[in-house]
Amino acid sequence: MSIPATMRALRQTSRNGPQDLRLITDAPVPSPGPGEVLIRVTAAGVNFVDISQSRGTFAGGPQPPYVAGIEGAGEVIAVGEGVTDPGPGAHVIGAGVNGGAFAEYLVLPAAAAVPVPPGWADEQALGLVVNWPTALAALKPLGGLTAGQTVLIHAAAGGTGQAAVKMAKHYGATVIATASPGKHEVVRGLGADHVIDSRGTGIAAEVLRLTDGAGVDLVLESVGGATLDASLSATKRVTGRVVVYGVAGGETAITNWDLVYKHQIQVIGLNLGILIQAAPRIFGEVMGELFGLLAAGVLGPGQPTVYELADGPKALAELEARATVGKLALRA
């Protein structure tokens, strides 16, 4: 396959959000260096990280202008020095916080290029290296979920939330989920035992009612803002855990006074990129468990909502407004 010199891509031109993504046709096609592969992107995943980067709130993120997108899947068409696997023709998915996936071609470290499961279309594997391992890491190695416990999962209709609901039920947990009213049936269909209005003001009170005043054993907290305070109030004292892995609803403060006198709970921060770097053994265990869940049929091919590359700004804006269900993808 001949590789062109330029390609179509979505370039983030400012820190003013996804409305300043611009479709360009003359972005240079990257070349794979040692230990890297070049893929022809067939589908790119849309994530809250992309929104955070577009607004300049993602710590260590790329500086505009840059080609956006952290998650891409496609066919390997060239490899750098020292790469024997994956080889040309393999279909893989990978992610990187430096962007580049919202384009026709993307360079990935060969070691981080995960095979698309046999029989799956590339777009069906979106989530395999971002959403699903985030959900699993939050539930198990960090969250310590065991059978019989109760877990509160926020944004349960999103890509990470849906995976978390399925996994938590598989592990024998009672699932209390939050979502906007129009998404409740979707979340119930995933197996959630109870679904609460995510936009209401009584989340903590409802969780405490459902748990006879005890609170939940674990919270998967991806929203932040006022929702984080509700999460802290809804968590079981002393033994309860809150795993925080998102700031979609904005920042909020927790003081040492809060933790001593108001919320005597365990608060755990999760950043998947840092987990990979700082605790590769744990991440390896997560991915091993994840592929076991795939083999067992707990997780299956994703069914993302697909947008054309030119509609990337629209897709990100709809995700930011929480007007979407499940995983979103851009077709390169």
Side-chain angles (χ1 to χ4, degrees):
M1 175 185 295
S2 61
I3 301 172
T6 60
M7 62 180 180
R8 297 165 64 244
L10 285 174
R11 177 181 287 163
Q12 182 68 37
T13 59
S14 77
R15 290 182 170 182
N16 295 326
Q19 72 270 16
D20 282 345
L21 274 175
R22 299 285 183 265
L23 182 66
I24 60 175
T25 60
D26 60 350
V29 172
S31 299
E36 295 179 334
V37 297
L38 176 67
I39 69 169
R40 181 178 56 81
V41 178
T42 53
V46 179
N47 295 280
F48 270 103
V49 170
D50 302 312
I51 295 167
S52 179
Q53 290 188 347
S54 76
R55 296 197 176 279
T57 59
F58 186 88
Q63 300 301 309
Y66 63 89
V67 175
I70 68 158
E71 179 187 20
E75 180 184 357
V76 176
I77 60 168
V79 302
E81 181 182 349
V83 176
T84 57
D85 184 52
H91 285 255
V92 300
I93 178 168
V97 295
N98 291 324
F102 294 168
E104 293 180 298
Y105 297 90
L106 170 68
V107 163
L108 292 171
V114 176
V116 172
W120 292 24
D122 293 343
E123 67 187 41
Q124 293 177 316
L126 294 173
L128 184 58
V129 295
V130 177
N131 306 93
W132 300 353
T134 297
L136 183 52
L139 287 170
K140 295 293 280 183
L142 298 187
L145 184 69
T146 59
Q149 293 188 335
T150 300
V151 57
L152 172 62
I153 300 173
H154 289 294
T160 303
Q162 289 195 14
V165 171
K166 294 178 185 178
M167 293 178 193
K169 290 303 297 179
H170 172 72
Y171 293 126
T174 296
V175 173
I176 303 173
T178 72
S180 58
K183 305 174 184 179
H184 284 196
E185 287 307 310
V186 171
V187 176
R188 287 193 184 96
L190 298 170
D193 298 280
H194 310 280
V195 187
I196 298 173
D197 183 358
S198 61
R199 303 192 177 186
T201 58
I203 292 176
E206 181 64 8
V207 170
L208 291 172
R209 184 188 71 80
L210 291 169
T211 57
D212 296 323
V216 296
D217 299 285
L218 174 64
V219 181
L220 267 59
E221 170 58 72
S222 60
V223 180
T227 300
L228 178 58
D229 189 65
S231 296
L232 302 178
S233 299
T235 302
K236 187 176 291 185
R237 300 292 84 109
V238 182
T239 60
R241 293 87 64 199
V242 178
V243 179
V244 180
Y245 61 92
V247 292
E251 296 180 47
T252 191
I254 307 173
T255 67
N256 53 341
W257 189 96
D258 290 331
L259 294 174
V260 174
Y261 294 107
K262 187 178 181 182
H263 303 299
Q264 300 82 20
I265 60 175
Q266 302 170 42
V267 181
I268 304 159
L270 168 60
N271 179 309
L272 192 65
I274 299 301
L275 178 68
I276 293 169
Q277 295 171 11
R281 180 186 59 81
I282 294 176
F283 180 70
E285 292 172 355
V286 166
M287 292 306 292
E289 176 83 358
L290 183 59
F291 276 95
L293 294 174
L294 292 172
V298 177
L299 297 173
Q303 301 295 334
T305 300
V306 181
Y307 298 72
E308 294 301 322
L309 186 64
D311 292 327
K314 176 184 177 183
L316 267 71
E318 291 180 354
L319 179 63
E320 187 172 32
R322 302 183 204 175
T324 61
V325 174
K327 186 70 175 177
L328 307 184
L330 301 183
R331 181 182 289 116

